Amino acid sequence: MAAPGASPSDDPTAGSGAGGAGAGGGRGPEGSRAATTRPGSLVPARSAAASSRSALAGLIRRDLAVLGKNFGEFVGRTVMQPFMLVFVFLYVFPSIGQGIGSGGGTAGESAFATVLVPGVVSIAIMFQGIQSVAIQMSQEFGFTREIEDRVQAPCPIWLVAVARVLSGAAQGLISAVIVFPIAAVVHAPGVHPHFDINWLIVLTLIPLSCIAMTSLGLLLGTTFEPRNIGVMFGFVVLPLVFLGGTYYQWTKLSMVEVGGFHWLQVLVLFNPLIYVTEGMRAGFTSVSHMSLYVVYPVLVGFCVLFLGLGLRNFRRRVLS
C-alpha cells in the first residue's frame, strides 16, 4: 500500500496491475474476469476488453506497416492480372478485329467494356483477399510458424484471425482504388466504357465486398495445407472467377437453359463473387444487374458464414 501523499508512480505494485491484466487478455476465465483494480494498488488495471482492443490495433498496424514497406510489390501484384485482362480484351482484341461484341461495331465493344471493368475490380478484390489472408496464413501455419508469435498477443485467439481479416480488407480496398482507373482507361481507340457512378453503392459495397472476400480467404487459408495451394487455385479459385460474372451479366444468363430451366443462372448463385460483380455494376454503370435487395443481404450472409467457419478452423489449427 502506498504511503499517504505518495504519487501512484511511487507505488511499486502499480506497474504489475496493468501487466497482469494484459497478460491474461481473454486467454481464459482469468482474463475475462479481470478486475478493474488490484488490491493494494491505486492504479486501475486494464480490462480484458481494453487489452484486446490494443492488441487488435497493434496487429493491424503491424500488417499495414509491412504493407507500407513492400508497397511497390503490393501494387505490382495487384495491378498485373487486371491490367492484362483489360489489355487483352479491350485493347488487343479490338485492335485485331476480334473484339468481343464487335458484331455491333465499336458500340458493341464499348458495351462489353462497360460490363468488364466492374468485373475486373471485383476479381482484384477477391484475389487480394486470397493473397493477403489465405496464402499468408497458409505460410504462417506452415514453414514460417509466425502464427505462434501472433497468438501470444494479449487477446482471444479468434481476435488474431479477425485482425488478419481486417488488414486484408484494407488491402482489398486499396487494390480497388488502384485497379479501377487502370481498367477504365486501358482500351483501344473507339472503345469507351460508359460509367454512371452511384457513390452510395460504391462506398458501401466495396468495404462489404472486401470483408467478404478476406473472410473467404480466412476459410481457405485455414482449410488447405500449404502443399495443397495449387489444388485450392485449380478447384476453388478458378471456378469462382469464371462463374463469378466477371465477363458477363447475371441477367444475361437467363438465355442459357435446358428445358426452360435457367440452370446456369441458378448455379452461379452459390458463388459469392457473382454478388460482388453485380453490385459493382450497379455502382459503376447503368447496365442491367441483380437486385441490390439481394446483393447486400447475401453478401452479409456470406461474411457471417465464411468468418464463422474460418474462425472455427483457425482455433482448431492453433490449438492442435
Side-chain angles (χ1 to χ4, degrees):
M1 175 72 78
S7 66
S9 58
D10 295 328
D11 187 355
T13 66
S16 63
R27 272 288 184 271
E30 295 81 12
S32 61
R33 293 196 298 266
T36 56
T37 59
R38 289 180 65 100
S41 174
L42 299 179
V43 179
R46 294 174 67 187
S47 67
S51 235
S52 296
R53 286 194 299 269
S54 294
L56 175 64
L59 288 169
I60 295 175
R61 285 196 301 268
R62 178 194 180 279
D63 289 338
L64 295 181
V66 172
L67 173 65
K69 292 180 179 179
N70 303 288
F71 193 71
E73 177 186 341
F74 166 80
V75 172
R77 182 181 72 233
T78 299
V79 166
M80 183 54 66
Q81 186 186 39
F83 173 77
M84 294 307 298
L85 274 176
V86 295
F87 177 71
V88 170
F89 282 106
L90 302 185
Y91 183 82
V92 176
F93 280 5
S95 297
I96 64 177
Q98 296 180 6
I100 299 178
S102 58
T106 56
E109 293 172 342
S110 296
F112 174 69
T114 303
V115 169
L116 180 65
V117 171
V120 168
V121 176
S122 300
I123 64 171
I125 292 174
M126 188 193 76
F127 273 104
Q128 194 56 53
I130 293 173
Q131 177 70 33
S132 62
V133 180
I135 295 180
Q136 291 295 324
M137 190 160 287
S138 177
Q139 292 175 347
E140 290 173 6
F141 277 114
F143 62 92
T144 68
R145 306 304 301 173
E146 183 180 330
I147 199 66
E148 296 175 358
D149 296 329
R150 286 180 175 269
V151 297
Q152 298 303 315
C155 63
I157 291 176
W158 62 268
L159 210 58
V160 176
V162 170
R164 173 66 79 182
V165 168
L166 293 178
S167 61
Q171 296 179 46
L173 184 61
I174 296 171
S175 70
V177 173
I178 294 173
V179 167
F180 177 72
I182 295 175
V185 301
V186 177
H187 49 73
V191 178
H192 302 288
H194 302 295
F195 299 114
D196 183 14
I197 299 179
N198 185 318
W199 287 107
L200 178 61
I201 297 175
V202 169
L203 295 178
T204 54
L205 186 76
I206 289 182
L208 177 60
S209 300
C210 292
I211 294 175
M213 292 298 100
T214 49
S215 297
L216 173 62
L218 174 66
L219 176 59
L220 295 177
T222 54
T223 300
F224 288 89
E225 298 290 339
R227 64 179 180 275
N228 294 326
I229 291 298
V231 176
M232 179 188 77
F233 274 95
F235 288 92
V236 179
V237 177
L238 283 182
L240 288 179
V241 171
F242 285 101
L243 297 177
T246 304
Y247 313 99
Y248 49 82
Q249 299 155 258
W250 177 79
T251 53
K252 300 294 185 181
L253 293 180
S254 59
M255 293 184 285
V256 182
E257 58 177 305
V258 174
F261 176 60
H262 310 301
W263 65 273
L264 188 56
Q265 195 175 41
V266 173
L267 176 64
V268 299
L269 293 177
F270 295 94
N271 186 344
L273 186 60
I274 194 74
Y275 301 96
V276 178
T277 54
E278 288 295 297
M280 293 296 174
R281 290 195 179 102
F284 289 123
T285 73
S286 57
V287 300
S288 62
H289 54 79
M290 186 185 295
S291 171
L292 292 175
Y293 290 107
V294 175
V295 170
Y296 279 97
V298 174
L299 273 181
V300 171
F302 273 123
C303 282
V304 173
L305 176 65
F306 293 151
L307 193 58
L309 294 176
L311 291 176
R312 183 199 64 180
N313 290 353
F314 181 82
R315 182 176 180 83
R316 287 179 179 178
R317 293 283 297 272
V318 168
L319 298 181
S320 63

